[in-house]
């Protein structure tokens, strides 16, 4: 899925109860994630328009790399991701130190939290629902996994004044926003203290019976992703 046809929808279902990583993942890592490509397979208008696409393109390169911590722990079936820790760390770096207001649920199939991105002037309710999942241990040094997550974002304090506008890549929702995101990752163990990962994310629109415009955009996408991004990720053991 990392290097396959970017226009194809995920061909798998929920094959596992959770992603079980090889034991060499266990521990805490410093993560360096660099965007290396941003694509608009359905055209720039469906991506979100010229300004949104331009803002995404500006994220490409080492100068805009995201640096955070990640942790993998022992679960009942083997090594698993510490989902709450990892989400908190990523959001802290991407949206501000106090962006995560609360995490009410953190399971393999559902993650629920309240976010208040720096400068947004509002609190968002975010639910991440895992729909599909697969994994494959290719050999002793290579591991592939992929998940499809439905992202549900809704403002919970629409009356709170907006202090400063959000950046183009973080639109301020006035209604519930729905989309599905597939994240596919190919990990390679370089040595006991270093992992490399080639990662691809693909965002898909969903049909809507309440929003005619959203329905029209979904029909225009014809099941293809509207936003595809590739990342070069390095894990260094702490």
């Amino acid at each position: 899925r990392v290097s396959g046809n970017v226009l194809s929808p995920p061909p798998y279902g929920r094959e596992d109860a959770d992603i079980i990583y090889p034991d060499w993942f266990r521990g805490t890592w410093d993560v360096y994630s660099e965007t290396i490509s941003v694509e608009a397979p359905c055209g720039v208008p469906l991506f979100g328009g010229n300004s949104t696409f331009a803002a995404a393109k500006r994220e490409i390169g080492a100068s805009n790399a995201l640096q955070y911590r990640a942790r993998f722990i022992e679960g009942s079936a083997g090594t698993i991701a510490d989902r709450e820790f990892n989400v908190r760390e990523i959001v802290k770096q991407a949206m501000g130190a106090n962006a995560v207001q609360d995490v009410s649920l953190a399971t393999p199939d559902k993650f629920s939290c309240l976010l208040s991105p720096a400068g947004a002037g509002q609190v968002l309710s975010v639910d991440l629902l895992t729909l599909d999942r697969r994994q494959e241990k290719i050999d002793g040094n290579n591991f592939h996994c992929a998940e499809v997550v439905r992202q549900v974002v809704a403002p919970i304090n629409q009356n709170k004044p907006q202090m400063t506008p959000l950046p183009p890549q973080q639109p301020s929702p006035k209604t519930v926003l729905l989309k599905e995101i597939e994240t596919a990752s190919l990990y390679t163990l370089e040595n006991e203290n270093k992992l490399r990962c080639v990662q691809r994310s693909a965002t898909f629109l969903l049909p809507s019976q309440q929003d005619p415009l959203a329905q029209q955009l979904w029909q225009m996408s014809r099941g293809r992703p509207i936003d595809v991004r590739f990342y070069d990720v390095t894990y260094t053991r702490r």
Side-chain angles (χ1 to χ4, degrees):
R1 292 297 295 171
V2 173
S3 59
N5 181 4
V6 299
L7 296 181
S8 65
Y12 51 90
R14 196 186 318 190
E15 300 179 1
D16 302 286
D18 199 357
I19 293 177
I20 306 300
Y21 294 85
D23 289 342
W24 31 266
F25 272 84
R26 198 172 307 157
T28 304
W29 304 80
D30 289 322
V31 185
Y32 175 93
S33 178
E34 180 181 339
T35 304
I36 57 176
S37 175
V38 177
E39 302 175 8
C42 296
V44 171
L46 264 67
F47 188 96
N50 290 326
S51 61
T52 300
F53 187 60
K57 284 284 193 179
R58 287 195 293 270
E59 296 299 313
I60 295 174
S63 62
N64 292 299
L66 194 64
Q67 299 183 59
Y68 56 93
R69 294 184 299 165
R71 188 164 68 192
F72 297 84
I73 59 178
E74 179 67 21
S76 58
T79 301
I80 60 174
D82 187 339
R83 292 176 182 267
E84 180 172 349
F85 179 89
N86 295 348
V87 170
R88 283 182 178 274
E89 287 295 305
I90 293 172
V91 171
K92 181 169 64 176
Q93 296 301 318
M95 300 184 181
N98 300 312
V100 179
Q101 299 288 296
D102 180 61
V103 175
S104 58
L105 186 65
T107 71
D109 294 333
K110 185 176 182 180
F111 189 96
S112 299
C113 65
L114 297 179
L115 297 183
S116 181
Q122 64 177 343
V123 177
L124 305 174
S125 169
V126 180
D127 290 315
L128 306 176
L129 312 173
T130 303
L131 305 178
D132 304 310
R133 176 188 295 123
R134 79 176 308 177
Q135 58 190 305
E136 179 184 4
K137 189 174 182 180
I138 300 170
D139 54 39
N141 293 326
N142 292 279
F143 177 74
H144 173 271
C145 61
E147 285 188 323
V148 178
V149 171
R150 178 168 295 175
Q151 179 177 296
V152 184
V153 180
I156 63 172
N157 59 340
Q158 296 185 46
N159 295 325
K160 186 175 180 179
Q162 180 109 350
M163 305 302 292
T164 57
L166 282 167
Q169 64 270 30
Q170 296 176 2
S172 174
K174 296 181 175 58
T175 58
V176 176
L177 295 181
L178 295 172
K179 58 184 177 181
E180 290 182 0
I181 302 172
E182 180 191 25
T183 302
S185 305
L186 177 59
Y187 295 93
T188 298
L189 175 66
E190 292 199 348
N191 57 59
E192 64 179 9
N193 294 315
K194 187 175 183 180
L195 307 176
R196 294 296 295 268
C197 174
V198 178
Q199 191 173 78
R200 186 188 85 183
S201 70
T203 301
F204 297 83
L205 295 177
L206 293 173
S208 174
Q209 300 302 318
Q210 290 75 38
D211 187 336
L213 177 58
Q215 180 72 11
Q216 182 182 10
L217 294 175
W218 170 75
Q219 291 173 338
M220 291 171 63
S221 71
R222 301 197 302 274
R224 299 169 296 168
I226 61 165
D227 180 340
V228 176
R229 308 188 191 200
F230 289 85
Y231 305 90
D232 184 7
V233 189
T234 302
Y235 291 73
T236 305
R237 192 179 297 278
R238 292 180 65 87

